Amino acid sequence: MTYLIKGARILGGEARDIRVEDGVIAEIGTGLDPENAETIDADGLIALPGLVDLHTHLREPGREDAETVESGTRAAAAGGFTAVHAMANTEPVADTAGVVEQVWRLGREAGHCDVHPVGAVTRGIEGRQLAELGAMADSAAHVRVFSDDGHCVDDAVLMRRALEYVKAFDGVVAQHAQEPRLTEHAQMNEGEVSGRLGLAGWPAVAEEAIISRDCLLAAHVGSRLHVCHVSTAGSVEIIRWAKSKGWQVTAEVTPHHLLLTDELAETYDPIYKVNPPLRTKADVEALREALADGTIDCVATDHAPHPVEAKETEWAPAAMGMIGLETALSVAQAAMVDTGLLDWAGLADRMSVRPARIGRLAGQGHLPVPGAPANLTLYDPDVRRVVDPAASVSKSRNTPFAGLELPGRVHATFLRGRPTVLEGKVV
């Protein structure tokens, strides 16, 4: 099928027509002939490369009550994503070639976006013995990102071995930086608010200590380290220092850590309970600045769906996590573009180009130019919408942005020239 996208502002620039044919961008120009093509009116819309998420929890296999690959990838497409990395903390854990291939095939069958399984670093994400890293890398899923996300690889010897192992096939270890002894029974960010509320504090140093150690290990081994969901100003400084040394360290920040603060815990609403916890306004400002200057490489959603009963409970027993695929681009616009910290080209770099490069995705993260794969997001930055959890495409409803007015809406998403979203609706 051939599509002619009329009048789109590519990366926020001047309006251009984009002809999509045979899965690629065939032509870009003005006044292109609409003959033999289905025309899409993109007046006022921004054309971005299809978004890539390095950090998505699709929950399947094992927790289909919260999300499935089908529902999660529909939510991803609705949010403008053409590729997601599915984290390994499923049931069973994605620590073998068989499980990662199952997730990969489920993604291909769903067809809403590319699904790239993340392999566990350790067996059962228990932190005791390395998982089958080589077998997962050689599998049909072609795994290149490995993480025990939800748990920290706190054993320094195991972390070193993992970094050494993945180096052989240009893989990357994505660390959930949380020193476990420093966060026992922790409920929220350690600080003024936790003291006032009487909730056990989660100190920033628990994150920063692990990041410091792992940057040094990555440099010692000469391997790639990716830091998941950076949340503190101190972590930013450590990563900036590591990059100044030329070490192979990359990092991500979540949309919620770019917009929300620990003051929301004063409501005692578990919708704001997340790992790592929401931090202070000063941390939010540091994270935004780090994303703008490239110290933090990309935005990653850490989309973490939970069933209703896991969140509609008291704070202490409530599950940690928030959904974020459908609101990520809007939050990024509010935090980074509308504040003047990034332009649309910069946001495309942080939400598509860089995460694709980190995940070694050859077919994703290409800017819209003739000959590039037609992975595209058409986005209306001018509309305003109030987030309604009931309207979510995800199977879960645990969004921290419920009732909040956010800018922008995804109008269309194309995966290799095939629309997965049109007029804001999943096809």
Side-chain angles (χ1 to χ4, degrees), residues 122-134:
T122 67
R123 290 187 180 182
I125 57 174
E126 294 177 347
R128 297 173 184 167
Q129 186 176 3
L130 287 184
E132 299 175 8
L133 308 184

Side-chain angles (χ1 to χ4, degrees), residues 144-161:
R144 286 298 177 270
V145 182
F146 297 86
S147 181
D148 276 5
D149 185 61
H151 296 80
C152 178
V153 182
D154 64 306
D155 185 315
V157 174
L158 265 181
M159 188 64 182
R160 174 183 174 171
R161 288 175 180 166

Side-chain angles (χ1 to χ4, degrees), residues 6-18:
K6 296 284 290 183
R9 296 167 52 209
I10 299 174
L11 304 181
E14 297 296 318
R16 293 288 187 270
D17 300 342
I18 306 171

